[in-house]
Amino acid sequence: MAEPDPEPMSSGAGQRLGAPDTLGISTLDPGHRPPTMPPGRHVTIRVRMLDDTEEVFDISQKASGKVLFDLVCSHMNLIEGDYFGLEFQNHQKMMVWLDHIKPIIKQLRRPKHTILRFAVKFFPPDHAQLLEELTRYLFALQIKQDLSCGRLTCNDSSAALMVSHIIQSEIGDFEESQCRSHLLNNNYIPDQMPLIDKIMEFHSKNIGHTPAESDFQLLEVARCLEMYGIRLHPAKDREGTVLSLAVAHTGVLVFQGHTKINAFNWSKVRKLSFKRKRFLIKLRPDLNSSYQDTLEFLMASRDCCKVFWKICVEYHAFFRLFEEPKPKPKPVLFTRGSSFRFSGRTQKQVIDYVRESDFKKIPFERKHSRVQHNSRLSPLPSPFKCHLASSGVVSNSPHLSASSGHSHGMVNGQKSLELCSHSPNGRQPSPLTSPLLNDAGSVRTDDEDERFPTDRAYFIAKELLTTERTYLKDLEVITVSFQSAVGHDEATPDSLKNAILSTFEPLHKFHTGFLREVEQRLALWEGRSNAHIKGDYQRIGDVMLKNLQGLKPLTVNLHKQSEILLELEKACRASHKLEGLCRDFELQKVCYIPLNVFILRPLHRLIHYKQILERLCKHYLATHVDFRDCRAALADVSEVVEQLQGNLIKMENFQKLLELKKDLIGVDNLVVPGREFIRLGCLSKLSGKGLQQRMFFLFSDVILYTSRGMTATNQFKVHGQLPLHGMTIRVSEDEWGVPHAFTLVGQHQSVVVAASSLTEMEKWMEDLKMAIEMAKTSNGPSYDLLTSNETDSNKCPEDSLVEAESEDDMTPSHTSLEKPALHRGNTMVHVCWHRNTSVSMVDFSIAVENQLSGNLLRKFKNSNGWQKLWVVFTNFSLFFYKSHQDDYPLASLPLLGYSVTIPSESENIHKDYVFKLHFKSHIYYFRTESEYSFERWMEVIRSATVPSGRTRLLNSKESHPH
């Protein structure tokens, strides 16, 4: 069929090369007529724009995808439309791009119930190549969406800078109250609250920037980010390592988590293909390369391979070719392979076309902007009704909420979730928001439950897998992060460098291989491999036995953990520079728990192996095929744990003293032989000003009391000490009329304190009585812990009861450092201070045994959806990640003071395996995947939330069944 308007076009008029004449032109400038509509029954198609408006187009069922796309571009008067595309979720729940050549009816099974999304498809390396202001505005909207849903990851400074450009475009020049109010009412990035001040600081520097200039600056920052324009597609390499593939203007990229680990430039790629679930990259011969001729990646399905292969073909053609590739002639009898090809203008053709053409500049509307501006380009769709020839927009554009960041989400390019789309009744559903994370791709709907084997042994083995992933990441904190930050500095002694390298590198190498074997076995167990034979791979004992026997030669490395801890402490005492380097490292996000705890992790891991094997042996019948291997592996690991147990107890106490030393100001000789840590926590101390909150530290020979003043170092100032030798305790509630009060009567001083509850008082008195009894027979340390200017030698015992601590006492001592240095402000001491509670060494010992990792679904009290997160429980806290591949947590939740329960019927959860965390007005719901997972999460969390007594030390094994 011929064009209705047969007038010849000039070169560069926009006709797609090699395309049938009936398809019209690719993008229309003002004055061009829209494409002719093929005859046939019409359907209405809904398209969601980048500014969150929704347009409805009336189009023939027989029309090609290109006709619909041209209508959308014509509606916006978009000239550089070739950078964009229409994506939708197909019947397999994968996000795919609308094919321009195929008829729409063959692509959309239920057109009335499908919402297509107008989105950026091709991301150029330089935004200066985008010649039109409207195009850059649409790119800026895409960046805004990617930032909000967490797909465009970056550091805090880059995120704050980009948000400052966005709000400059939306509300104009900086005005403090207006800016703060706007940021409180609009969420542009996950976890925005901590960055509001930084965003406002950047915004104040953007004065005078027009919306167009702000768009340009936003793209300038975004294009430098590693995740700019990246859409991840899950895959695995030949060894089973979990990776993601992506495509960019340069070629095919390989990611691990959000870190790019490899790139294959188009110039090095000879051929891209797929065979079933295998995606193949054939490289050109290169004598200098260590890679094989053909690289193979395993994807979830053949369709996943094909979706990624198609976008690779299109990216290569758009950025590398001068013109659209010609269609292949149709075979007469047989077809081989896919007939798919890139249809459209290449980037070079688009740039040439825009530069050579003279368009009338028409202002367009910026939906979210309050700034008066004179945009001189094509208009965005207006909110009123308009018609285009025989087709076009036939209904009013429904305007959504101004919060455009939640319009859609993708899980590695595979699944889209309608977070802000219109529901059938016209109401807008609430987007799932979180103060910790806001990753739309992490949200699961109720019909997406994963299917697992039902055997309890499978879930025990899966716990081995999930915790091993976390353990390997913890090893990398030492082998990678600490080594690069501190290990190469001249202040670090060679002996310490060599000790760390020789101890941790072999362990890291061993556990990398062990994790790979466990991942492969679990994949077979789940039936995700063609090699799966029912029964043969539904066990884990053989894998554990083999590897635990392989670990035996490394036992000497496990004995060295204590040596490294001692040598690091010695080196820090000898070098202020090294001490500062270690302190700075602990402030980094990757060091989410104290540095010394990472050093002791290999000893902790053996205890976890023992627990897992005990659970397996308890679960299996003696006749089970896996029982013998599990029992043999349990015997092996129990032998090693028994050898290291005494050393571990000593090292845990030593590590705790070192950690507390960093939290205290005004104390000398805290870390000395013979001193044991027993308990720390909050008590109210009676003074001349009444009851004042103080932090108490109980050791085997002395108890210290401290306060947390307005210090720049986040440390606690020591006010006094009471030796335990000769001390007595008496309940003093009636004497002072204060609930839960008791008096510590020392030989030279007495202190009246009150606990926050009867339970807290009983815990303190139990531990104090035990410590006093130990002090009677102990020849432990008798050092004066306070520095010389902190002692109260002139204070009489009577005055100490009504001691009035002045505000001057709240200032830190600067005897050791001229300039105060920052310290961790999220240690357990600070948590106890804010939660007004206490924790003992028994609790810390139990916490070592109770560590867990895995995926959980989280829901807030007033939210509708569940958010999938990778969660690590350790050190009395939950740490939240997007995935197990992330290097550091995005948020944490200390659990001291929380209660863990099962939701009641009135809470309307209506899901299995859900537990509830509750502290004051804070309520969180977490959903697990199985009964076993539910029991384990409840067990480990209760270990951090249920009050402990000294008697639990002897019965900790019984109180934590395996």
Side-chain angles (χ1 to χ4, degrees):
M1 182 184 294
E3 272 287 359
D5 184 358
E7 292 180 7
M9 294 185 184
S10 61
S11 63
Q15 186 172 6
R16 290 187 186 263
L17 302 179
D21 291 342
T22 54
L23 295 186
I25 58 176
S26 135
T27 50
L28 300 178
D29 56 277
H32 278 252
R33 295 173 59 185
T36 302
M37 192 64 57
R41 189 165 66 91
H42 282 214
V43 294
T44 56
I45 304 290
R46 289 187 293 169
V47 178
R48 175 156 307 135
M49 303 300 186
L50 280 165
D51 64 351
D52 281 345
T53 58
E54 194 173 291
E55 305 293 351
V56 182
F57 294 86
D58 186 71
I59 194 167
S60 168
Q61 282 187 335
K62 297 180 180 180
S64 66
K66 183 176 179 298
V67 172
L68 174 60
F69 181 73
D70 285 345
L71 277 175
V72 175
C73 293
S74 175
H75 180 58
M76 291 186 290
N77 282 319
L78 176 62
I79 299 167
E80 296 174 290
D82 300 77
Y83 288 100
F84 303 84
L86 295 173
E87 58 179 357
F88 64 98
Q89 193 177 56
N90 65 11
H91 65 284
Q92 296 168 315
K93 295 189 179 298
M94 292 190 297
M95 290 302 296
V96 297
W97 294 101
L98 188 72
D99 193 311
H100 283 194
I101 297 178
K102 289 184 179 179
I104 290 175
I105 194 64
K106 290 189 177 181
Q107 301 185 65
L108 306 181
R109 288 194 172 185
R110 304 174 67 191
K112 291 183 179 179
H113 303 283
T114 302
I115 297 179
L116 288 87
R117 300 179 184 278
F118 181 81
V120 176
K121 187 175 184 180
F122 302 112
F123 289 80
D126 186 358
H127 57 294
Q129 295 172 338
L130 306 175
L131 304 181
E132 299 289 301
E133 182 186 333
L134 172 59
T135 312
R136 292 192 293 273
Y137 169 60
L138 295 174
F139 265 73
L141 291 178
Q142 183 71 67
I143 297 303
K144 181 181 172 183
Q145 285 189 3
D146 291 353
L147 266 177
S148 180
C149 74
R151 182 157 54 186
L152 180 57
T153 56
C154 59
N155 59 41
D156 289 349
S157 294
S158 296
L161 183 58
M162 286 190 283
V163 173
S164 76
H165 292 307
I166 293 172
I167 62 176
Q168 174 70 23
S169 172
E170 292 184 355
I171 66 175
D173 288 344
F174 176 80
E175 196 280 315
E176 184 172 356
S177 60
Q178 179 196 28
C179 180
R180 186 176 297 277
S181 174
H182 185 79
L183 288 171
L184 291 174
N185 292 315
N186 296 274
N187 200 50
Y188 295 98
I189 52 177
D191 200 17
Q192 179 173 287
M193 288 298 294
L195 295 181
I196 283 183
D197 289 336
K198 183 174 285 190
I199 295 170
M200 293 175 65
E201 178 186 351
F202 283 133
H203 185 202
S204 67
K205 300 176 182 177
N206 295 338
I207 292 177
H209 288 186
T210 66
E213 289 169 341
S214 297
D215 291 344
F216 196 89
Q217 294 300 323
L218 172 64
L219 297 176
E220 177 68 31
V221 179
R223 76 184 183 97
C224 299
L225 302 176
E226 193 166 71
M227 294 301 293
Y228 169 67
I230 295 299
R231 304 295 182 259
L232 298 176
H233 297 252
K236 292 183 179 180
D237 62 14
R238 285 180 173 174
E239 288 72 38
T241 304
V242 177
L243 304 168
S244 294
L245 299 180
V247 63
H249 68 281
T250 55
V252 180
L253 312 177
V254 183
F255 283 79
Q256 197 159 35
H258 287 89
T259 303
K260 184 171 69 176
I261 61 173
N262 217 332
F264 301 99
N265 195 283
W266 294 127
S267 61
K268 297 180 180 179
V269 176
R270 183 178 176 186
K271 182 180 180 182
L272 295 175
S273 61
F274 64 97
K275 186 174 183 180
R276 297 188 179 91
K277 294 193 290 185
R278 293 180 295 137
F279 184 82
L280 307 173
I281 303 176
K282 191 167 187 177
L283 302 176
R284 299 185 186 278
D286 186 356
L287 298 177
N288 298 321
S289 174
S290 60
Y291 293 115
Q292 302 172 4
D293 176 60
T294 302
L295 299 173
E296 179 178 316
F297 297 89
L298 186 67
M299 305 188 84
S301 66
R302 179 185 182 276
D303 290 322
C304 291
C305 279
K306 188 171 184 179
V307 167
F308 182 61
W309 175 78
K310 280 186 173 182
I311 191 62
C312 287
V313 169
E314 292 183 305
Y315 252 82
H316 176 266
F318 185 78
F319 287 107
R320 297 279 292 181
L321 302 185
F322 287 167
E323 61 182 21
E324 178 188 23
K326 299 295 186 292
K328 297 178 182 178
K330 291 185 177 181
V332 179
L333 294 176
F334 302 104
T335 61
R336 182 184 179 187
S338 174
S339 61
F340 176 78
R341 64 180 177 86
F342 171 70
S343 172
R345 293 183 299 192
T346 65
Q347 186 190 31
K348 182 181 185 300
Q349 288 177 308
V350 174
I351 292 174
D352 291 344
Y353 170 63
V354 176
R355 285 175 175 169
E356 293 170 5
S357 304
D358 184 20
F359 301 111
K360 180 182 178 182
K361 308 300 183 182
I362 303 176
F364 65 91
E365 175 194 2
R366 291 173 177 265
K367 176 176 179 288
H368 301 289
S369 180
R370 308 173 191 169
V371 184
Q372 296 295 324
H373 60 284
N374 295 315
S375 296
R376 297 287 298 164
L377 286 180
S378 314
L380 276 177
S382 57
F384 49 82
K385 184 185 297 184
C386 60
H387 296 272
L388 290 175
S390 61
S391 64
V393 183
V394 296
S395 66
N396 291 336
S397 303
H399 280 259
L400 304 186
S401 163
S403 176
S404 66
H406 306 285
S407 60
H408 74 282
M410 293 173 61
V411 181
N412 295 335
Q414 297 299 316
K415 198 177 290 288
S416 172
L417 296 161
E418 306 278 334
L419 293 186
C420 268
S421 61
H422 289 287
S423 56
N425 58 11
R427 292 183 299 177
Q428 179 184 345
S430 301
L432 178 65
T433 57
S434 162
L436 303 181
L437 297 172
N438 184 20
D439 183 10
S442 299
V443 184
R444 288 173 53 183
T445 54
D446 293 338
D447 60 350
E448 292 172 347
D449 291 324
E450 299 177 25
R451 303 297 178 208
F452 300 104
T454 57
D455 185 10
R456 186 179 181 87
Y458 162 79
F459 291 104
I460 299 175
K462 191 168 184 179
E463 180 182 334
L464 171 67
L465 169 65
T466 56
T467 52
E468 189 71 13
R469 283 171 172 167
T470 298
Y471 171 57
L472 194 63
K473 282 289 184 183
D474 287 350
L475 285 180
E476 289 170 359
V477 172
I478 300 296
T479 59
V480 179
S481 304
F482 182 74
Q483 284 284 72
S484 61
V486 180
H488 300 304
D489 195 275
E490 59 182 11
T492 308
D494 290 338
S495 58
L496 179 59
K497 294 178 184 177
N498 295 333
I500 293 175
L501 189 66
S502 63
T503 300
F504 281 92
E505 285 291 347
L507 288 173
H508 180 265
K509 182 178 180 181
F510 170 82
H511 286 282
T512 300
F514 179 38
L515 175 60
R516 185 180 299 118
E517 288 190 41
V518 174
E519 287 178 332
Q520 291 170 348
R521 175 57 55 89
L522 264 292
L524 293 169
W525 201 331
E526 293 165 358
R528 290 187 282 112
S529 168
N530 292 334
H532 172 67
I533 303 173
K534 187 174 181 180
D536 286 1
Y537 297 107
Q538 294 184 349
R539 53 179 174 157
I540 198 66
D542 56 330
V543 176
M544 293 197 73
L545 178 60
K546 170 194 166 186
N547 282 277
L548 286 173
Q549 289 175 345
L551 187 61
K552 281 186 176 181
L554 298 177
T555 304
V556 63
N557 296 63
L558 300 175
H559 282 283
K560 290 182 179 179
Q561 312 300 316
S562 58
E563 297 175 16
I564 292 176
L565 208 58
L566 290 166
E567 189 163 353
L568 179 60
E569 165 61 10
K570 179 182 176 182
C572 286
R573 279 192 278 112
S575 170
H576 288 301
K577 182 180 180 182
L578 179 59
E579 183 183 24
L581 289 171
C582 292
R583 183 174 56 245
D584 292 343
F585 179 72
E586 284 200 313
L587 294 174
Q588 294 184 18
K589 291 181 178 180
V590 71
C591 193
Y592 66 100
I593 54 178
L595 171 61
N596 291 334
V597 176
F598 285 109
I599 294 176
L600 296 180
R601 273 293 193 246
L603 301 179
H604 300 164
R605 191 57 181 153
L606 291 175
I607 298 175
H608 304 154
Y609 292 150
K610 182 172 179 286
Q611 292 174 330
I612 287 170
L613 287 164
E614 285 173 340
R615 291 190 194 101
L616 285 168
C617 289
K618 184 177 180 180
H619 168 69
Y620 285 138
L621 297 174
T623 55
H624 194 280
V625 66
D626 205 24
F627 178 76
R628 182 177 295 179
D629 286 339
C630 286
R631 187 173 60 179
L634 177 59
D636 285 345
V637 74
S638 298
E639 179 184 350
V640 179
V641 168
E642 187 176 353
Q643 294 173 3
L644 297 170
Q645 188 65 40
N647 190 38
L648 176 59
I649 293 173
K650 292 178 182 178
M651 285 300 103
E652 286 292 338
N653 182 70
F654 179 58
Q655 182 270 325
K656 193 54 57 185
L657 292 176
L658 291 176
E659 187 180 340
L660 294 178
K661 178 184 174 183
K662 299 173 185 177
D663 284 314
L664 300 175
I665 293 177
V667 62
D668 284 337
N669 302 317
L670 181 64
V671 185
V672 293
R675 175 169 291 135
E676 296 180 25
F677 163 71
I678 297 175
R679 180 176 291 276
L680 65 86
C682 269
L683 293 170
S684 295
K685 179 177 173 290
L686 185 64
S687 70
K689 293 184 178 181
L691 290 172
Q692 294 182 315
Q693 184 180 359
R694 294 290 178 260
M695 199 73 182
F696 282 73
F697 298 83
L698 175 61
F699 302 96
S700 56
D701 61 322
V702 67
I703 184 169
L704 304 177
Y705 56 94
T706 70
S707 65
R708 184 176 184 268
M710 301 300 293
T711 69
T713 62
N714 289 322
Q715 292 170 289
F716 286 78
K717 164 90 176 292
V718 178
H719 285 282
Q721 62 177 340
L722 286 81
L724 298 185
H725 188 74
M727 178 183 287
T728 58
I729 310 173
R730 67 171 186 265
V731 177
S732 309
E733 289 180 304
D734 296 335
E735 181 180 353
W736 296 98
V738 177
H740 320 308
F742 56 98
T743 303
L744 309 178
V745 183
Q747 290 183 335
H748 304 291
Q749 181 184 358
S750 296
V751 174
V752 179
V753 295
S756 59
S757 66
L758 177 62
T759 301
E760 278 292 301
M761 183 181 78
E762 290 174 345
K763 288 192 292 184
W764 275 105
M765 292 189 68
E766 180 183 1
D767 283 351
L768 277 163
K769 289 175 181 177
M770 178 273 302
I772 291 170
E773 287 298 316
M774 289 173 57
K776 290 179 181 178
T777 58
S778 172
N779 294 321
S782 58
Y783 302 95
D784 186 358
L785 281 173
L786 303 190
T787 53
S788 57
N789 62 332
E790 303 296 335
T791 56
D792 300 316
S793 58
N794 296 326
K795 191 180 298 177
C796 65
E798 292 81 6
D799 292 338
S800 64
L801 283 175
V802 290
E803 171 189 6
E805 295 174 2
S806 68
E807 294 303 316
D808 293 336
D809 292 332
M810 306 293 282
T811 58
S813 168
H814 297 293
T815 56
S816 59
L817 291 175
E818 293 181 2
K819 182 181 179 181
L822 288 176
H823 290 258
R824 292 172 63 94
N826 60 344
T827 64
M828 199 50 54
V829 180
H830 292 82
V831 175
C832 289
W833 174 264
H834 290 293
R835 301 274 169 85
N836 197 18
T837 187
S838 67
V839 63
S840 70
M841 191 62 201
V842 176
D843 297 318
F844 283 108
S845 299
I846 294 172
V848 167
E849 300 175 5
N850 288 279
Q851 299 178 26
L852 198 59
S853 308
N855 287 312
L856 289 177
L857 298 176
R858 185 188 61 187
K859 179 183 180 298
F860 296 102
K861 181 180 179 181
N862 297 318
S863 66
N864 296 324
W866 295 85
Q867 189 175 17
K868 187 176 182 180
L869 301 169
W870 177 260
V871 183
V872 174
F873 173 79
T874 187
N875 212 38
F876 305 97
S877 300
L878 294 176
F879 295 91
F880 300 98
Y881 303 74
K882 288 184 181 178
S883 77
H884 68 85
Q885 298 168 325
D886 292 353
D887 291 328
Y888 56 83
L890 298 182
S892 64
L893 180 65
L895 294 182
L896 288 180
Y898 270 80
S899 63
V900 56
T901 58
I902 299 173
S904 63
E905 286 291 330
S906 61
E907 293 173 271
N908 296 319
I909 297 300
H910 305 310
K911 296 291 181 183
D912 294 329
Y913 315 131
V914 176
F915 60 88
K916 169 186 173 182
L917 288 175
H918 183 204
F919 175 73
K920 295 183 178 178
S921 61
H922 303 284
I923 296 177
Y924 304 94
Y925 300 100
F926 291 92
R927 182 173 156 201
T928 65
E929 65 188 9
S930 68
E931 181 180 5
Y932 172 81
S933 303
F934 172 78
E935 292 171 359
R936 285 291 293 133
W937 280 104
M938 288 285 285
E939 179 184 347
V940 299
I941 290 175
R942 277 176 174 157
S943 73
T945 57
V946 176
S948 69
R950 190 71 190 175
T951 53
R952 291 176 62 189
L953 180 61
L954 300 176
N955 300 314
S956 60
K957 298 296 182 185
E958 288 76 14
S959 63
H960 297 274
H962 306 296

